[in-house]
mmCIF file of all heavy atoms in Angstrom:
data_model
loop_
_atom_site.group_PDB
_atom_site.id
_atom_site.type_symbol
_atom_site.label_atom_id
_atom_site.label_comp_id
_atom_site.label_asym_id
_atom_site.label_seq_id
_atom_site.Cartn_x
_atom_site.Cartn_y
_atom_site.Cartn_z
ATOM 1 N N THR A 62 -19.987 -77.402 40.688
ATOM 2 C CA THR A 62 -18.923 -78.392 40.510
ATOM 3 C C THR A 62 -17.640 -77.804 39.917
ATOM 4 O O THR A 62 -16.581 -78.406 40.045
ATOM 5 C CB THR A 62 -19.397 -79.550 39.615
ATOM 6 O OG1 THR A 62 -19.854 -79.017 38.366
ATOM 7 C CG2 THR A 62 -20.528 -80.324 40.288
ATOM 8 N N GLU A 63 -17.732 -76.651 39.281
ATOM 9 C CA GLU A 63 -16.515 -76.056 38.704
ATOM 10 C C GLU A 63 -15.675 -75.407 39.802
ATOM 11 O O GLU A 63 -16.217 -74.881 40.783
ATOM 12 C CB GLU A 63 -16.848 -75.046 37.600
ATOM 13 C CG GLU A 63 -17.419 -73.725 38.062
ATOM 14 C CD GLU A 63 -18.938 -73.680 38.217
ATOM 15 O OE1 GLU A 63 -19.615 -74.691 38.012
ATOM 16 O OE2 GLU A 63 -19.449 -72.589 38.567
ATOM 17 N N PRO A 64 -14.345 -75.460 39.666
ATOM 18 C CA PRO A 64 -13.484 -74.826 40.675
ATOM 19 C C PRO A 64 -13.749 -73.319 40.722
ATOM 20 O O PRO A 64 -13.751 -72.649 39.684
ATOM 21 C CB PRO A 64 -12.068 -75.112 40.177
ATOM 22 C CG PRO A 64 -12.204 -76.291 39.268
ATOM 23 C CD PRO A 64 -13.563 -76.155 38.644
ATOM 24 N N PRO A 65 -13.997 -72.784 41.903
ATOM 25 C CA PRO A 65 -14.312 -71.355 41.998
ATOM 26 C C PRO A 65 -13.109 -70.456 41.686
ATOM 27 O O PRO A 65 -11.974 -70.788 42.000
ATOM 28 C CB PRO A 65 -14.750 -71.177 43.451
ATOM 29 C CG PRO A 65 -14.157 -72.325 44.184
ATOM 30 C CD PRO A 65 -14.046 -73.446 43.213
ATOM 31 N N VAL A 66 -13.421 -69.344 41.065
ATOM 32 C CA VAL A 66 -12.443 -68.296 40.778
ATOM 33 C C VAL A 66 -12.897 -67.084 41.565
ATOM 34 O O VAL A 66 -14.095 -66.791 41.649
ATOM 35 C CB VAL A 66 -12.382 -67.990 39.264
ATOM 36 C CG1 VAL A 66 -11.470 -66.809 38.975
ATOM 37 C CG2 VAL A 66 -11.938 -69.226 38.487
ATOM 38 N N PHE A 67 -11.952 -66.355 42.140
ATOM 39 C CA PHE A 67 -12.283 -65.229 43.003
ATOM 40 C C PHE A 67 -11.931 -63.901 42.356
ATOM 41 O O PHE A 67 -11.038 -63.812 41.525
ATOM 42 C CB PHE A 67 -11.518 -65.314 44.331
ATOM 43 C CG PHE A 67 -11.601 -66.649 45.013
ATOM 44 C CD1 PHE A 67 -10.464 -67.274 45.481
ATOM 45 C CD2 PHE A 67 -12.817 -67.282 45.191
ATOM 46 C CE1 PHE A 67 -10.529 -68.498 46.124
ATOM 47 C CE2 PHE A 67 -12.899 -68.506 45.827
ATOM 48 C CZ PHE A 67 -11.753 -69.114 46.298
ATOM 49 N N ARG A 68 -12.653 -62.875 42.803
ATOM 50 C CA ARG A 68 -12.251 -61.492 42.573
ATOM 51 C C ARG A 68 -12.423 -60.780 43.902
ATOM 52 O O ARG A 68 -13.214 -61.209 44.745
ATOM 53 C CB ARG A 68 -13.045 -60.824 41.457
ATOM 54 C CG ARG A 68 -14.463 -60.492 41.788
ATOM 55 C CD ARG A 68 -15.140 -59.695 40.647
ATOM 56 N NE ARG A 68 -16.536 -59.524 40.934
ATOM 57 C CZ ARG A 68 -17.057 -58.601 41.748
ATOM 58 N NH1 ARG A 68 -16.264 -57.737 42.363
ATOM 59 N NH2 ARG A 68 -18.357 -58.527 41.961
ATOM 60 N N GLU A 69 -11.659 -59.731 44.101
ATOM 61 C CA GLU A 69 -11.714 -59.021 45.376
ATOM 62 C C GLU A 69 -12.611 -57.793 45.277
ATOM 63 O O GLU A 69 -12.586 -57.071 44.286
ATOM 64 C CB GLU A 69 -10.306 -58.583 45.804
ATOM 65 C CG GLU A 69 -9.471 -59.718 46.312
ATOM 66 C CD GLU A 69 -8.152 -59.244 46.909
ATOM 67 O OE1 GLU A 69 -7.891 -58.020 46.940
ATOM 68 O OE2 GLU A 69 -7.388 -60.112 47.352
ATOM 69 N N LEU A 70 -13.371 -57.573 46.337
ATOM 70 C CA LEU A 70 -14.149 -56.349 46.465
ATOM 71 C C LEU A 70 -13.203 -55.218 46.861
ATOM 72 O O LEU A 70 -12.030 -55.451 47.144
ATOM 73 C CB LEU A 70 -15.240 -56.529 47.529
ATOM 74 C CG LEU A 70 -16.261 -57.645 47.257
ATOM 75 C CD1 LEU A 70 -17.222 -57.785 48.432
ATOM 76 C CD2 LEU A 70 -17.027 -57.360 45.977
ATOM 77 N N GLU A 71 -13.709 -54.005 46.907
ATOM 78 C CA GLU A 71 -12.873 -52.847 47.258
ATOM 79 C C GLU A 71 -12.190 -53.008 48.608
ATOM 80 O O GLU A 71 -11.078 -52.545 48.807
ATOM 81 C CB GLU A 71 -13.715 -51.569 47.249
ATOM 82 C CG GLU A 71 -14.087 -51.107 45.867
ATOM 83 C CD GLU A 71 -14.900 -49.827 45.890
ATOM 84 O OE1 GLU A 71 -14.848 -49.081 46.899
ATOM 85 O OE2 GLU A 71 -15.590 -49.570 44.893
ATOM 86 N N ASN A 72 -12.862 -53.672 49.556
ATOM 87 C CA ASN A 72 -12.288 -53.843 50.888
ATOM 88 C C ASN A 72 -11.330 -55.033 50.970
ATOM 89 O O ASN A 72 -10.822 -55.356 52.028
ATOM 90 C CB ASN A 72 -13.396 -53.987 51.936
ATOM 91 C CG ASN A 72 -14.262 -55.219 51.709
ATOM 92 O OD1 ASN A 72 -14.032 -56.024 50.814
ATOM 93 N ND2 ASN A 72 -15.289 -55.362 52.532
ATOM 94 N N GLY A 73 -11.109 -55.725 49.833
ATOM 95 C CA GLY A 73 -10.184 -56.849 49.796
ATOM 96 C C GLY A 73 -10.829 -58.191 50.057
ATOM 97 O O GLY A 73 -10.191 -59.233 49.937
ATOM 98 N N LYS A 74 -12.115 -58.196 50.412
ATOM 99 C CA LYS A 74 -12.814 -59.459 50.678
ATOM 100 C C LYS A 74 -13.099 -60.162 49.347
ATOM 101 O O LYS A 74 -13.635 -59.560 48.422
ATOM 102 C CB LYS A 74 -14.111 -59.173 51.434
ATOM 103 C CG LYS A 74 -14.770 -60.404 52.008
ATOM 104 C CD LYS A 74 -15.881 -59.985 52.954
ATOM 105 C CE LYS A 74 -16.686 -61.156 53.467
ATOM 106 N NZ LYS A 74 -15.993 -61.966 54.428
ATOM 107 N N PRO A 75 -12.744 -61.444 49.245
ATOM 108 C CA PRO A 75 -12.974 -62.150 47.984
ATOM 109 C C PRO A 75 -14.425 -62.599 47.811
ATOM 110 O O PRO A 75 -15.117 -62.893 48.790
ATOM 111 C CB PRO A 75 -12.037 -63.358 48.076
ATOM 112 C CG PRO A 75 -11.901 -63.612 49.539
ATOM 113 C CD PRO A 75 -12.009 -62.269 50.211
ATOM 114 N N VAL A 76 -14.866 -62.642 46.561
ATOM 115 C CA VAL A 76 -16.164 -63.207 46.193
ATOM 116 C C VAL A 76 -15.927 -64.189 45.050
ATOM 117 O O VAL A 76 -14.917 -64.121 44.350
ATOM 118 C CB VAL A 76 -17.192 -62.129 45.777
ATOM 119 C CG1 VAL A 76 -17.553 -61.232 46.946
ATOM 120 C CG2 VAL A 76 -16.687 -61.308 44.605
ATOM 121 N N ILE A 77 -16.873 -65.101 44.865
ATOM 122 C CA ILE A 77 -16.775 -66.098 43.805
ATOM 123 C C ILE A 77 -17.384 -65.515 42.541
ATOM 124 O O ILE A 77 -18.559 -65.128 42.523
ATOM 125 C CB ILE A 77 -17.494 -67.401 44.201
ATOM 126 C CG1 ILE A 77 -16.882 -67.973 45.482
ATOM 127 C CG2 ILE A 77 -17.415 -68.422 43.065
ATOM 128 C CD1 ILE A 77 -17.670 -69.117 46.089
ATOM 129 N N VAL A 78 -16.598 -65.453 41.487
ATOM 130 C CA VAL A 78 -17.066 -64.921 40.205
ATOM 131 C C VAL A 78 -18.247 -65.767 39.715
ATOM 132 O O VAL A 78 -18.169 -67.001 39.668
ATOM 133 C CB VAL A 78 -15.918 -64.923 39.163
ATOM 134 C CG1 VAL A 78 -16.435 -64.508 37.788
ATOM 135 C CG2 VAL A 78 -14.782 -64.018 39.619
#
Side-chain angles (χ1 to χ4, degrees):
T62 56
E63 73 272 2
V66 174
F67 311 131
R68 72 174 174 81
E69 285 188 1
L70 300 176
E71 287 181 21
N72 62 3
K74 192 169 174 73
V76 294
I77 301 170
V78 174

